[in-house]
Amino acid sequence: MTFDEVINDIEKMVGLELESIKPGANIKLNRIDKAAKRIELITFAGKIKTRPFSELEKIWNKICSSPAAHVDSVLGGSGSSRNQPETVMANLPYVEWFFIDGKKHLALVKEPTHGYGTLLRMDEVAAIEIKDKLLNVASTACEVVVITEDIKETAYAYEKITGIPLYPVSPGVYEQYKNKVRFIIVSKSNLSNQVKPGTYIVVSGGGNQGSEPTIYLDGREFQVFCEGGMYLLVTL
């Protein structure tokens, strides 16, 4: 889903009172100004405020690239005003919220779980799984992605060689952590682009935005490079 599509979904909440995770800080979405790239809202105290699309996009990018987002950290600080973009995003039907060490976090879920303009606190079991993922991500030194045309055969070979079981993440995707290295095995049929099967190393960078294909994996976007004997997935 693109950020433009997210804005279209936010527009569906115009006129609704949006419940805040923080008690007593509800807002009403007044209008979406696509030309100025700002949203207009009415605070619980009746004041009219505007917020830039850029804040919402930062939150969206974070929950797409990470298991969860702490909005105050994403927006570079804390304060009641940051509660407003957080509230807008939390009221989307495919975003849920939960606490980590008393701090509010938002997470993207695969399917809509509640209506537009409503909140949903994440099930505790699912929240624990995301907390574990965040801990693993923080401690991961390297990521290796294996794209295969026969995921059963590849998974069997990996487990036979290492003696370590793989764990299903979603249909056609398995993973395993060992010694701060994350191994991800994904079925080529899961990827919309024509990407060569092979073993890829994940590296940071902006990519060159050229003709190389991009793929979405684990909620993140990567640009694929197969050059000079190197198979790389570059984070975008």
Side-chain angles (χ1 to χ4, degrees):
M1 177 180 288
T2 66
F3 180 66
D4 286 341
E5 291 174 314
V6 173
I7 289 296
N8 289 338
D9 282 344
I10 291 173
E11 194 167 25
K12 296 174 184 177
M13 299 191 293
V14 169
L16 299 179
E17 181 175 327
L18 308 184
E19 184 181 359
S20 172
I21 301 172
K22 177 183 177 181
N26 291 4
I27 61 174
K28 183 177 180 180
L29 200 55
N30 210 28
R31 72 187 184 98
I32 308 296
D33 188 339
K34 292 183 178 179
K37 294 187 176 182
R38 299 187 73 87
I39 62 170
E40 183 181 283
L41 56 89
I42 303 174
T43 68
F44 189 73
K47 296 181 179 179
I48 296 177
K49 300 285 186 178
T50 67
R51 310 292 302 201
F53 281 10
S54 59
E55 289 182 330
L56 304 173
E57 188 169 16
K58 285 180 181 178
I59 300 170
W60 175 249
N61 288 340
K62 185 64 176 180
I63 62 176
C64 285
S65 62
S66 175
H70 176 235
V71 172
D72 285 348
S73 297
V74 172
L75 299 183
S78 61
S80 60
S81 64
R82 301 189 189 280
N83 174 72
Q84 294 163 3
E86 175 187 79
T87 298
V88 173
M89 298 301 291
N91 276 260
L92 288 168
Y94 38 81
V95 176
E96 297 181 4
W97 72 275
F98 61 97
F99 285 115
I100 298 180
D101 298 330
K103 296 179 179 179
K104 299 170 290 181
H105 282 67
L106 304 184
L108 183 66
V109 294
K110 295 177 181 178
E111 300 290 339
T113 56
H114 55 108
Y116 286 96
T118 65
L119 290 179
L120 183 62
R121 184 169 182 172
M122 182 171 284
D123 173 81
E124 188 59 30
V125 173
I128 289 172
E129 290 180 358
I130 289 183
K131 293 173 189 177
D132 288 343
K133 282 186 178 181
L134 284 170
L135 289 173
N136 285 330
V137 168
S139 63
T140 296
C142 177
E143 287 184 287
V144 178
V145 177
V146 178
I147 298 174
T148 175
E149 292 181 329
D150 189 334
I151 193 164
K152 289 184 179 180
E153 181 180 355
T154 303
Y156 173 77
Y158 178 87
E159 292 180 347
K160 181 180 179 181
I161 293 168
T162 65
I164 302 170
L166 292 160
Y167 297 94
V169 177
S170 59
V173 181
Y174 292 83
E175 73 173 5
Q176 186 265 320
Y177 287 91
K178 181 176 175 61
N179 298 329
K180 296 187 177 181
V181 178
R182 183 186 186 198
F183 292 89
I184 307 170
I185 299 178
V186 57
S187 174
K188 187 174 180 294
S189 63
N190 280 32
L191 306 175
S192 58
N193 293 93
Q194 293 301 310
V195 180
K196 293 180 181 179
T199 300
Y200 293 77
I201 304 298
V202 176
V203 297
S204 298
N208 66 5
Q209 305 299 324
S211 59
E212 288 79 6
T214 59
I215 62 171
Y216 288 88
L217 178 64
D218 193 33
R220 294 179 291 168
E221 185 178 10
F222 300 94
Q223 195 163 29
V224 181
F225 288 86
C226 300
E227 297 179 8
M230 296 187 300
Y231 281 46
L232 303 176
L233 294 182
V234 181
T235 56
L236 293 178

